[in-house]
Amino acid sequence: SQELEQSPQSLIVQEGKNLTINCTSSKTLYGLYWYKQKYGEGLIFLMMLQKGGEEKSHEKITAKLDEKKQQSSLHITASQPSHAGIYLCGAVTGTSYGKLTFGQGTILTVHP
Amino acid sequence: NAGVMQNPRHLVRRRGQEARLRCSPMKGHSHVYWYRQLPEEGLKFMVYLQKENIIDESGMPKERFSAEFPKEGPSILRIQQVVRGDSAAYFCASSQDEQFFGPGTRLTVL
């Protein structure tokens, strides 16, 4: 089984709708990153979470880290077509702090 | 502050040739990471370097692949005698705290 599972694998929403993407780890989380990737491009840093219960927001995107559940969620409020892309969570699960393990990604489509 | 720079953005090689991928970290960042994204697979860690040191190379194939981050100049990921299975997007990231990614080098092996 995957070390880091993202759900759903893909998501299609109407513009203006809220949505949530989940990331669950089979190992203890020492840190959790969220990135956005457009097809054929690099990863855009969204947020890094380090402490259990930590919650960060940037514009309409909020991410939370539930350390006990080894889980993080990314919530987008009032989605826009510009939010479309692939969302990736990357986890620090070992002593090598910079080594990230990634989930398979969630493909988000937002219909205008 | 320029972001993480990678070049070339696209690289085409024939089987058996060598591929050299370059990465310049963000200013002030002393940690560099290389990841590979294969078609239909996720992003996989390859190697973590600091200046003149390889810290963790647990994700690097044992043969044909090497990485360096010299005292001066960019980090280099070198793939010798490339095979078709090496075709992928190779991403570099750098950090001092948060980890930022470059645009990637897309390697195609003919």
Side-chain angles (χ1 to χ4, degrees), chain A:
Chain A
S1 62
Q2 292 283 341
E3 187 173 313
L4 208 60
E5 294 269 0
Q6 279 187 243
S7 62
Q9 289 187 342
S10 63
L11 193 53
I12 302 172
V13 299
Q14 204 67 34
E15 183 177 0
K17 295 294 185 185
N18 302 338
L19 63 103
T20 299
I21 299 168
N22 292 303
C23 178
T24 303
S25 174
S26 59
K27 295 185 177 182
T28 301
L29 290 172
Y30 295 97
L32 195 290
Y33 285 79
W34 284 100
Y35 294 92
K36 178 185 172 186
Q37 185 180 27
K38 294 268 189 182
Y39 182 75
E41 298 180 13
L43 279 68
I44 300 167
F45 173 84
L46 296 176
M47 271 167 275
M48 180 180 78
L49 305 164
Q50 287 182 281
K51 301 172 187 173
E54 187 173 13
E55 180 175 322
K56 287 187 177 178
S57 293
H58 177 67
E59 297 180 344
K60 294 184 178 179
I61 301 176
T62 301
K64 300 178 187 179
L65 178 62
D66 186 333
E67 207 170 56
K68 290 180 182 176
K69 291 185 180 177
Q70 297 175 180
Q71 192 174 60
S72 177
S73 60
L74 185 84
H75 185 77
I76 298 177
T77 304
S79 58
Q80 300 168 354
S82 61
H83 287 127
I86 303 168
Y87 288 81
L88 292 160
C89 63
V92 181
T93 57
T95 54
S96 180
Y97 191 78
K99 176 182 176 180
L100 297 182
T101 300
F102 282 90
Q104 288 294 93
T106 295
I107 302 171
L108 173 63
T109 304
V110 180
H111 286 310

Side-chain angles (χ1 to χ4, degrees), chain B residues 33-89:
Chain B
Y33 316 85
W34 287 93
Y35 295 83
R36 177 166 66 174
Q37 191 172 42
L38 288 162
E40 306 306 319
E41 289 191 24
L43 202 56
K44 304 289 186 189
F45 167 83
M46 298 181 75
V47 63
Y48 164 30
L49 310 106
Q50 293 180 15
K51 285 284 187 182
E52 300 184 282
N53 286 304
I54 296 174
I55 308 301
D56 183 343
E57 57 180 347
S58 57
M60 284 273 273
K62 298 289 182 227
E63 297 178 351
R64 303 187 297 108
F65 284 72
S66 62
E68 62 176 9
F69 188 18
K71 190 175 179 181
E72 300 290 338
S75 175
I76 307 284
L77 179 68
R78 183 182 176 206
I79 311 172
Q80 294 178 289
Q81 299 175 322
V82 295
V83 300
R84 288 211 174 117
D86 296 334
S87 295

